[in-house]
Amino acid sequence: MRFTRRTLLRGAGAGALAVLLASCTPRTTDPDPSVSATPSATPTPVGEVPAAAAFVRSQWATDPFARGSRVTRPVGATDADLRTLAEPVAERVFFAGDATDPDRPGTVAGARASGERVAIDLSALATTDERVAVIGAGIAGATAARTLADAGYDVTVIEARRAAGGRLSTAADEDWPVPPQRGAWLFGAEDAGVTTEMALGGATFATVAESAARGARGEETFSDGTVVAEAIAEASDAPADVALADAIADTGVPGSDALGAYLAWLSALTGIDPATASTWFAPELPGGEFEAATADVSAVVADPLDGLTVTYSTPVSGVIYDDTGVSLRLATGEALTFDRVVVTVPIGVLQTDAIAFDPPLPFAHRGAISALEMGAIEVVWLRFDEPFWETEAGLWHVVGPLTPEESASPTPSPTPGVEASPDTTIRSWVNLMPATGEPILVGIVGGPAARAVADLGDDELLTLAAESLAPFVGA
């Protein structure tokens, strides 16, 4: 049977979290991603999966200061859009963040590098007696602010949240022997430099490598990604960019549960939606080992901000600029004036009316903002009193249906012309027990499924997690 995009999406709609989350935030209230030490109600366990003793979740997709987790490139977007967004506007407005680094877009390392780059760009146009505002106290904003302050500029950092960190977020909770990470915490090779810096600041990491795959039928085979890699390679020679899902369909390879689980894992690490993700600028495919943060990672942002003027709980709602300077409108109704401003808010926020620019940004910048996409990644940390599993594998993949009844009958084809609803099964899990000795499981989900999961209530999410973990009971 031919592997259509809709068939593909039924198996690929889940997964989540991974590397990155960089830069910062902006706008009204202060809705930090929710943290729940204990469930508000104890859901009925599914099968033999016990209720978690404690849990922490993220909700980046519904957070007005983030609107998602990391930048991605859909069909039509190119590296030129990232470079355009990195260009200063009227020599007064500068942009930094993971959406302005063409070498490592969507990563913590890329966000930090953008902070260093923007400080150099601004210094080439300004004199050291000028006052500079930095909007956002994530890693991009903190890096830019520290570099500029060390160069002699009068720097003020304005942060919408109650604390620094942006989408690097460690939940402080004494009930957890391993502090839950709501933001970037699973790092690949591209973030090696940042993890080294975090380690110098006191963070610790556990290596996660060996994987296991299970489903309703028991042990399953997990895809090695060959089909996806071949589809990307073939599409690279095509006359026009196509979505990853369409490129896979064009190979004529039949759909499979293993491939669906692999795509869920890819979305979990990158936030992409296979239905829109570019093949010309495809994300790195998963492979090798990952370093999972097992301690507070906040020092990588807090240390650069030490000694600087930082105003918290202050969203910026407007940026007015001309050839004489910049005026920032705050959500409180106040206004502050500076000589120049560095904007580090996520691309998902720039795509809304959260910050009004007057005059409007140049057409090229607006085009770049519109062309890019904010990927979605969500995470749920579960702590159990004791393990209900036996596998020592650090990475778990849920393959295929979750019940024998579903496994015995083929999945009906979606109605022609109607996209299937996202599969919200949490298909990707990290088992921290082998590395830390603690019975902690971390579910990650990405793409359209992550946005659907972000809308769930806590008890709905816990029930979904229990259903997704059922194949690993006693495994």
Side-chain angles (χ1 to χ4, degrees):
M1 122 182 163
R2 184 171 176 76
F3 195 26
T4 67
R5 181 174 65 168
R6 287 189 295 273
T7 303
L8 172 74
L9 294 181
R10 291 181 68 87
L17 194 308
V19 295
L20 172 36
L21 302 66
S23 43
C24 274
T25 58
R27 208 165 162 74
T28 48
T29 57
D30 187 13
D32 290 334
S34 76
V35 181
S36 301
T38 56
S40 58
T42 302
T44 302
V46 177
E48 298 178 52
V49 177
F55 85 107
V56 168
R57 68 180 297 185
S58 68
Q59 288 179 289
W60 297 108
T62 58
D63 182 347
F65 298 158
R67 302 292 182 183
S69 300
R70 55 176 288 173
V71 69
T72 65
R73 284 169 290 188
V75 172
T78 70
D79 285 348
D81 295 308
L82 304 172
R83 294 189 181 95
T84 295
L85 194 56
E87 290 294 320
V89 176
E91 299 186 353
R92 295 291 170 178
V93 181
F94 300 76
F95 291 92
D98 68 305
T100 67
D101 187 275
D103 297 324
R104 289 162 293 184
T107 66
V108 176
R112 186 182 65 171
S114 76
E116 297 170 343
R117 183 265 310 157
V118 79
I120 294 173
D121 292 348
L122 189 150
S123 297
L125 298 170
T127 57
T128 53
D129 61 344
E130 293 186 356
R131 299 177 64 242
V132 179
V134 176
I135 303 176
I139 191 167
T143 301
R146 170 48 60 192
T147 306
L148 289 167
D150 288 348
Y153 292 92
D154 181 2
V155 179
T156 298
V157 181
I158 303 174
E159 168 58 44
R161 301 185 189 278
R162 294 186 296 266
R167 287 163 287 158
L168 275 169
S169 177
T170 301
D173 194 318
E174 295 179 356
D175 291 337
W176 287 80
V178 176
Q181 310 289 339
R182 293 168 296 181
W185 71 288
L186 197 60
F187 299 96
E190 69 270 29
D191 279 311
V194 174
T195 55
T196 299
E197 184 177 336
M198 290 178 179
L200 293 174
T204 57
F205 298 86
T207 301
V208 179
E210 184 182 357
S211 63
R214 295 187 65 83
R217 295 165 297 213
E219 188 173 348
E220 293 279 3
T221 300
F222 185 61
S223 171
D224 62 2
T226 300
V227 172
V228 179
E230 291 178 349
I232 292 172
E234 290 183 17
S236 66
D237 295 326
D241 193 8
V242 297
L244 178 58
D246 292 331
I248 296 174
D250 288 343
T251 66
V253 176
S256 69
D257 291 338
L259 180 56
Y262 179 87
L263 287 168
W265 177 227
L266 179 60
S267 289
L269 293 176
T270 64
I272 67 160
D273 178 354
T276 62
S278 168
T279 47
W280 281 3
F281 298 91
E284 289 292 325
L285 300 183
E289 298 179 343
F290 296 91
E291 296 299 317
T294 55
D296 194 341
V297 299
S298 63
V300 73
V301 174
D303 288 352
L305 293 173
D306 187 34
L308 301 184
T309 300
V310 185
T311 302
Y312 294 103
S313 300
T314 307
V316 173
S317 60
V319 176
I320 304 170
Y321 62 96
D322 58 23
D323 58 2
T324 64
V326 178
S327 176
L328 302 184
R329 287 200 202 98
L330 308 183
T332 59
E334 301 169 282
L336 300 174
T337 59
F338 298 89
D339 294 294
R340 305 180 200 270
V341 63
V342 176
V343 181
T344 72
V345 303
I347 192 70
V349 175
L350 291 176
Q351 291 173 337
T352 71
D353 62 353
I355 299 179
F357 290 88
D358 184 10
L361 293 174
F363 178 78
H365 283 71
R366 285 179 283 145
I369 292 169
S370 177
L372 298 169
E373 189 171 285
M374 191 66 169
I377 298 171
E378 301 296 350
V379 59
V380 55
W381 285 61
L382 304 176
R383 179 175 63 79
F384 296 90
D385 291 327
E386 58 185 27
F388 58 82
W389 61 92
E390 297 176 2
T391 178
E392 292 293 312
L395 295 174
W396 297 358
H397 303 288
V398 180
V399 178
L402 294 173
T403 67
E405 293 76 14
E406 291 176 323
S407 181
S409 58
T411 302
S413 298
T415 304
V418 178
E419 294 290 353
S421 298
D423 169 18
T424 54
T425 302
I426 303 175
R427 296 193 176 275
S428 305
W429 291 87
V430 176
N431 171 22
L432 291 179
M433 182 84 175
T436 68
E438 300 293 343
I440 295 174
L441 301 177
V442 187
I444 50 179
V445 59
R451 296 193 180 277
V453 165
D455 287 330
L456 297 178
D458 287 351
D459 291 335
E460 291 176 301
L461 177 60
L462 288 169
T463 298
L464 173 64
E467 292 171 346
S468 301
L469 286 169
F472 287 91
V473 172

